[in-house]
Amino acid sequence: MFGVAGVVLVAGLLVYAYKSIKPPPPKICGSPNGPPVESSRIKLTDGRHLSYRERGVSKEKSNFKIILVHGFDSSKDLYLPLTQELMEELGVYILSFDRPGYGESDPNPKRNVKSEAFDIQELADQLNLGPKFYVIGVSIGTYSIWACLKYIPHRLAGVTLVVPVINFWWPSFPRKLSEEVFRKQLKRDKVKLTIAHHFPALVYWWMTQKWFPYSSIMERHPILFNKRDLETIQQMPQVPNPDEHKVRQQGVYESLHRDMMVHFGKWEFDPMELKNPFPNNEASVFLWEGHNDKLVPFELQRYVAKKLAWIRYHEVADGGHLLIHERAACEAIFRQLLLGEEPCI
């Protein structure tokens, strides 16, 4: 009898373990049990849909066409404190889109760093942006920008990476430096990042288990925000975002968790071995970092900028992770990319 009970117990534990690590299927927009499609979308050659949003002036009247890539737990509707008057003054057309699995864009179970660049290229082509366009990436969304620099540099008119999240396992980082910075992370985040890199099949389990703290960013840990970030957070609710609930509506696995697995996984290339996409100085690549960014270590950011000397690096002395959401910083980021103006913040 005890033997049978033991077998039943082991079987039960195995079933529980399997259910704990296996994510549920996504609720795909437009499917019978999924959320409705309410935004403009394109259909990619592989059959997936990308949802997008247009801001600023029309493509036909624009001086500059920019594709803006959102970060973690965000969407095409990310808060961008640029007034319509300023966008008209600059003559800028801004195209943002839901990355795969976010908002109303179909999940991509085969998503990797490389696929993000070709999603951007196809989006630009289907919306007739022309042979070249600008790209701006924010936070973890910058792995899409690194992919553009690697795979479609000939399509780029200019590039800006804003507080780009670092992958601690990029091969060119000196091991001593990356380990030293990694040790400064909260324990929950060290576990999360290690799982995402070495054991991606366990990401869903770690991010949904209730026994241990699992992610400072998901748990809104106060250590993540400096004074400027907190001031920015207080300003953001004044601009309503009625579609905020759509960010995770297809499920957290194909949006947030997949983002972590791709960014902190093993890349197909080392960003620090990239070549200058503008060897004749016809345009520039800019990188913005906050010295007090609690999510992205400035030490590693400086190393990237030193390794890639063609990147124009700007570090905001008291800046945090939310620079793109500050009015003055956001305007400076756009003016530098489009007009070459030197920032004064």
Side-chain angles (χ1 to χ4, degrees):
M1 182 65 71
F2 180 77
V4 173
V7 170
V8 172
L9 177 61
V10 170
L13 290 172
L14 290 173
V15 170
Y16 172 76
Y18 177 74
K19 289 183 176 180
S20 296
I21 67 172
K22 182 176 174 59
K27 297 178 181 178
I28 298 176
C29 287
S31 66
N33 297 316
V37 175
E38 299 175 329
S39 301
S40 299
R41 305 203 302 178
I42 63 163
K43 187 174 183 178
L44 301 170
T45 53
D46 65 3
R48 290 182 294 116
H49 295 86
L50 282 186
S51 173
Y52 66 90
R53 173 182 174 180
E54 299 168 296
R55 311 185 211 196
V57 303
S58 67
K59 292 192 293 282
E60 295 73 22
K61 296 181 179 180
S62 65
N63 300 320
F64 310 101
K65 298 178 181 66
I66 299 178
I67 295 181
L68 176 66
V69 186
H70 69 80
F72 187 77
D73 204 10
S74 184
S75 73
K76 65 182 182 301
D77 299 311
L78 77 163
Y79 172 64
L80 198 65
L82 296 179
T83 64
Q84 183 63 30
E85 291 75 19
L86 177 62
M87 290 188 285
E88 290 177 359
E89 174 195 329
L90 296 174
V92 63
Y93 163 87
I94 302 173
L95 174 65
S96 54
F97 67 102
D98 292 327
R99 292 190 289 111
Y102 280 99
E104 296 180 45
S105 287
D106 292 341
N108 181 7
K110 298 180 180 179
R111 177 158 45 133
N112 55 33
V113 176
K114 183 177 183 178
S115 68
E116 296 277 304
F118 292 104
D119 280 359
I120 288 173
Q121 177 170 254
E122 192 167 352
L123 177 68
D125 288 343
Q126 289 205 32
L127 293 182
N128 301 310
L129 298 198
K132 288 182 179 287
F133 46 86
Y134 294 83
V135 290
I136 298 177
V138 181
S139 190
I140 203 172
T142 51
Y143 72 77
S144 305
I145 307 303
W146 289 117
C148 288
L149 288 167
K150 170 67 176 178
Y151 297 109
I152 59 167
H154 57 289
R155 302 298 306 273
L156 306 178
V159 178
T160 296
L161 302 105
V162 184
V163 295
V165 173
I166 293 294
N167 183 327
F168 292 91
W169 291 273
W170 284 343
S172 290
F173 278 135
R175 186 171 179 178
K176 182 179 179 181
L177 175 62
S178 60
E179 289 181 350
E180 177 183 332
V181 177
F182 186 77
R183 281 195 298 270
K184 296 178 182 179
Q185 309 299 303
L186 291 178
K187 184 176 181 180
R188 68 192 71 181
D189 293 325
K190 287 189 283 190
V191 174
K192 174 189 70 178
L193 299 177
T194 299
I195 289 174
H197 183 76
H198 294 289
F199 312 103
L202 298 179
V203 165
Y204 176 76
W205 165 75
W206 176 254
M207 295 295 289
T208 56
Q209 54 81 30
K210 306 300 181 184
W211 300 324
F212 309 104
Y214 57 92
S215 170
S216 58
I217 189 170
M218 295 294 292
E219 295 169 295
R220 300 293 190 266
H221 197 295
I223 198 174
L224 294 181
F225 305 109
N226 70 357
K227 181 181 178 181
R228 280 179 64 154
D229 284 338
L230 292 173
E231 291 172 351
T232 301
I233 290 171
Q234 290 174 354
Q235 295 294 321
M236 289 171 65
Q238 297 178 17
V239 180
N241 181 6
D243 294 328
E244 188 174 8
H245 68 283
K246 294 182 179 180
V247 171
R248 311 181 194 178
Q249 66 180 350
Q250 297 184 90
V252 295
Y253 183 74
E254 288 295 346
S255 53
L256 279 63
H257 299 175
R258 183 77 66 182
D259 236 4
M260 291 167 45
M261 291 187 291
V262 173
H263 182 83
F264 295 107
K266 297 177 176 63
W267 287 34
E268 301 90 345
F269 63 94
D270 182 349
M272 282 174 278
E273 293 182 352
L274 290 172
K275 296 180 179 180
N276 185 354
F278 310 117
N280 300 315
N281 296 318
E282 63 270 32
S284 298
V285 178
F286 301 98
L287 195 160
W288 283 70
E289 171 64 5
H291 182 79
N292 287 333
D293 189 332
K294 305 298 184 181
L295 274 171
V296 183
F298 71 88
E299 298 94 336
L300 294 182
Q301 214 74 276
R302 288 179 179 179
Y303 187 86
V304 172
K306 180 180 179 181
K307 190 80 171 177
L308 300 176
W310 41 269
I311 286 182
R312 296 177 63 181
Y313 180 65
H314 184 68
E315 189 173 294
V316 181
D318 59 344
H321 196 67
L322 302 182
L323 291 175
I324 195 70
H325 304 304
E326 296 180 22
R327 175 162 294 184
C330 185
E331 181 174 337
I333 288 167
F334 275 78
R335 287 187 177 278
Q336 183 189 50
L337 174 64
L338 304 179
L339 305 178
E341 294 182 4
E342 287 300 320
C344 56
I345 63 168

